[in-house]
Amino acid sequence: MTEEQRFFIRILAPVHIGCDEVYEPTGFVIDEEQGVLHAFDPLDFVRSLSGPERQQLSNICKKGTVESILELYKFMRRKRFEGHPVAVCRGFVEHYRQTLSMSISDRRKIQQELNRFSIARTAFSPTTERPFIPGSSVKGALRTAYLNGRQTVKKLPPAKNAAQLEKDLLDGGAFETDPFRLLKVSDFHPVGPCRTKIIYAVNEKKRKDAKSKTRGLPLILEVIEPGAVFVGTIQVLSPLSSSIIKTPLTEPAVLESAASFYGKEKRREDEELMAAGLPHLRREHMEEGVPLRIGRHCGAESLTIDGQRRIRIMQGRDKQATVSTRGATTFWLAAEEPRNYQKTTLQPFGWTLLSKPAPEVNDQWSEAIAQWQEMESASAPPVEKEVVPQITITATEEVWEGASVSYQAGGGGVLEAVGPKGLKAKVAGKEKAKAVTDASLHTALFEKRKTIRNVRVTVRKMGNWCDIIKVSV
């Protein structure tokens, strides 16, 4: 068994790791002059309001219509409330103003524009609000690279079944024979400054002479900005018996396959970007570590196996999609504007650098690393059950009988309940989720990750927003 090794991940290009969370209308305000989004707990915001303001907010939320969401944004626009700051790109402020200038009488336009105004959060810790890189994202990138290396050696013919292809490449047939079950990757947490920003993901054709326009609509994403550094651990365990895992992993083999695959993908992408007249990420400092590509919009080529690719290419409305064995036909790139942007300002997504800490890096981040180690080793503090403020004019409680609940570990942990009428309620953070859930359900819900049905869920409801208060049998 190899010892647990500490690694750093340096962010080289904007990174967005999906966590199925968005910035809710009642959870942020925009400082239009400074270009900053302030995110906060909606309940803290409600407590700060005067009586008449609470009544006005309550009246808006009770409507529960599409138009009322726009009214809610307009109500929040006039407020100032300190919270977790997130920078916003210059195009977002104008987009925000245009959205709020719509008339509340045009329901169809409101629905269309609000769908485009959803702000997807990157994975974050609910206790600190700081972003983190899930170990599963790092392990997935390492696995993709390793599979590409195995394909280079074994040269298997194109396969129809992806699951069987992986088993053939890894000389395994079941969970216990998969060598990657012995690769242990922790979550990576930031050390030192770590900023996030709201930007747009835009679609650009790879062919400079392409006549048709791209069909992908601009997406609003929160990304980790280049320059941030994260720390975590990677460990490769030795199998108990060589007869169980025929081709065990080694740390050098895992890192070498990543360096080879992502180095090749970086050169391919650079060539394609330059051919399309688009800027590419400079390769400065790439030799100081192992390139990895993580998060969304990394390109289909970085997520698939060379020689085994089957990438679905959309052909437009009412046209049948085609399948490409070579690569995608468009890029997703980070932009400051949703449209009419300068192409020279675009950036590719997802490039990072994995490295073992050098002495000078250890000195630079010694205090931050000590705090990270303390956080990793300390047991979680007891969580007090939140006292629901008696604001009957803005929030109501109701009980969902026969509901179902499920738990997702991403983004620090999210417990979701679905009521009989399809309404959904959530609570973020594993410890908070456990605190509101009956202890008899903990093993099945939080360890085995089963969906539990026919439970009794008490929720706090304000308009279309629902928060879980209690889950019981």
Side-chain angles (χ1 to χ4, degrees):
M1 179 176 70
T2 61
E3 293 184 358
E4 191 176 63
Q5 298 287 329
R6 183 187 300 157
F7 282 83
F8 283 162
I9 291 179
R10 186 189 306 171
I11 306 300
L12 303 180
V15 169
H16 172 83
I17 299 175
C19 64
D20 295 327
E21 290 279 342
V22 298
Y23 283 107
E24 300 288 353
T26 54
F28 71 87
V29 293
I30 304 293
D31 185 332
E32 298 174 48
E33 297 300 322
Q34 297 297 321
V36 176
L37 177 150
H38 291 278
F40 43 75
D41 186 326
L43 290 178
D44 291 336
F45 172 74
V46 170
R47 293 187 188 103
S48 73
L49 299 177
S50 65
E53 287 175 324
R54 291 178 185 176
Q55 185 62 59
Q56 184 182 359
L57 178 60
S58 176
N59 292 339
I60 294 172
C61 292
K62 284 178 181 178
K63 295 179 182 179
T65 63
V66 172
E67 294 87 346
S68 68
I69 300 176
L70 181 59
E71 290 185 68
L72 186 58
Y73 273 121
K74 292 184 177 182
F75 173 85
M76 298 294 290
R77 187 181 190 180
R78 302 192 299 270
K79 308 304 175 187
R80 292 291 180 267
F81 196 82
E82 290 300 319
H84 173 66
V86 181
V88 300
C89 64
R90 57 179 176 270
F92 178 83
V93 174
E94 183 59 30
H95 187 177
Y96 176 72
R97 290 169 176 167
Q98 290 177 356
T99 300
L100 269 62
S101 68
M102 290 188 297
S103 169
I104 60 172
S105 63
D106 193 339
R107 181 186 181 91
R108 183 176 179 180
K109 184 177 180 181
I110 292 172
Q111 180 73 70
Q112 183 183 56
E113 292 303 317
L114 290 181
N115 287 341
R116 297 174 181 175
F117 197 68
S118 177
I119 310 169
R121 295 195 68 168
T122 194
F124 67 100
S125 167
T127 56
T128 65
E129 294 291 332
R130 301 190 83 194
F132 76 100
I133 301 173
S136 57
S137 293
V138 180
K139 187 173 181 177
L142 293 173
R143 183 183 181 93
T144 299
Y146 192 82
L147 288 170
N148 272 274
R150 295 289 294 167
Q151 170 66 16
T152 302
V153 173
K154 302 191 79 170
K155 300 187 185 303
L156 297 180
K160 294 183 179 180
N161 187 300
Q164 186 60 49
L165 171 64
E166 290 196 22
K167 291 177 182 178
D168 292 341
L169 289 173
L170 297 173
D171 298 325
F175 170 76
E176 63 270 14
T177 61
D178 187 335
F180 270 83
R181 73 181 181 87
L182 299 179
L183 177 65
K184 308 300 180 182
V185 184
S186 76
D187 291 340
F188 279 68
H189 294 275
V191 290
C194 180
R195 295 184 295 271
T196 63
K197 187 175 184 178
I198 308 299
I199 56 91
Y200 290 92
V202 298
N203 209 220
E204 282 286 331
K205 288 281 189 181
K206 286 189 175 182
R207 288 182 55 186
K208 201 172 183 179
D209 59 346
K211 296 181 180 179
S212 60
K213 295 183 178 181
T214 55
R215 299 186 61 83
L217 293 174
L219 306 174
I220 308 176
L221 305 175
E222 179 187 30
V223 297
I224 306 169
E225 291 199 90
V229 177
F230 293 73
V231 64
T233 59
I234 297 176
Q235 184 180 24
V236 181
L237 303 178
S238 301
L240 297 177
S241 171
S242 59
S243 62
I244 297 177
I245 295 180
K246 298 178 181 179
T247 312
L249 299 178
T250 65
E251 183 183 294
V254 171
L255 297 180
E256 287 169 10
S257 63
S260 174
F261 174 65
Y262 291 109
K264 177 183 174 183
E265 285 304 302
K266 181 69 174 63
R267 290 189 292 273
R268 173 201 56 78
E269 182 182 76
D270 289 350
E271 292 173 359
E272 292 183 348
L273 284 167
M274 287 188 286
L278 298 168
H280 64 280
L281 180 70
R282 293 182 180 180
R283 294 180 58 84
E284 294 176 359
H285 310 299
M286 279 286 190
E287 69 281 356
E288 297 175 5
V290 176
L292 282 186
R293 206 162 194 197
I294 57 177
R296 290 190 64 189
H297 303 308
C298 289
E301 296 88 348
S302 293
L303 305 173
T304 52
I305 301 171
D306 194 8
Q308 298 285 346
R309 294 186 175 118
R310 291 180 60 82
I311 300 170
R312 197 161 180 256
I313 308 296
M314 302 304 293
Q315 299 297 312
R317 185 178 298 177
D318 301 326
K319 293 183 180 180
Q320 187 174 0
T322 60
V323 175
S324 170
T325 58
R326 295 176 59 85
T329 59
T330 63
F331 300 106
W332 280 100
L333 301 168
E336 290 280 320
E337 309 275 354
R339 56 187 66 84
N340 300 325
Y341 43 78
Q342 293 290 328
K343 291 189 177 183
T344 55
T345 64
L346 300 178
Q347 299 180 75
F349 281 100
W351 286 110
T352 69
L353 196 66
L354 178 71
S355 62
K356 291 185 178 180
E360 62 271 16
V361 178
N362 272 328
D363 292 340
Q364 182 182 3
W365 302 114
S366 58
E367 183 178 348
I369 291 172
Q371 293 175 355
W372 166 75
Q373 288 176 321
E374 183 179 350
M375 179 184 66
E376 287 290 296
S377 60
S379 58
V383 177
E384 296 183 1
K385 186 174 180 181
E386 185 178 11
V387 178
V388 180
Q390 299 302 312
I391 308 175
T392 56
I393 59 172
T394 59
T396 59
E397 289 186 16
E398 63 182 45
V399 177
W400 297 350
E401 300 286 357
S404 64
V405 290
S406 59
Y407 175 76
Q408 299 293 330
V414 177
L415 179 68
E416 182 177 80
V418 180
K421 296 181 180 180
L423 289 176
K424 294 182 179 180
K426 295 181 181 180
V427 62
K430 187 174 183 179
E431 294 305 319
K432 283 188 178 181
K434 282 187 171 182
V436 302
T437 304
D438 192 290
S440 63
L441 302 175
H442 283 194
T443 299
L445 194 58
F446 299 104
E447 296 180 18
K448 297 182 180 180
R449 307 285 171 80
K450 292 184 177 180
T451 297
I452 302 177
R453 306 183 188 283
N454 296 320
V455 294
R456 191 171 190 263
V457 179
T458 305
V459 302
R460 182 191 301 113
K461 186 177 180 182
M462 187 168 69
N464 292 327
W465 166 60
C466 297
D467 190 24
I468 299 174
I469 298 175
K470 186 176 181 181
V471 179
S472 56
V473 179

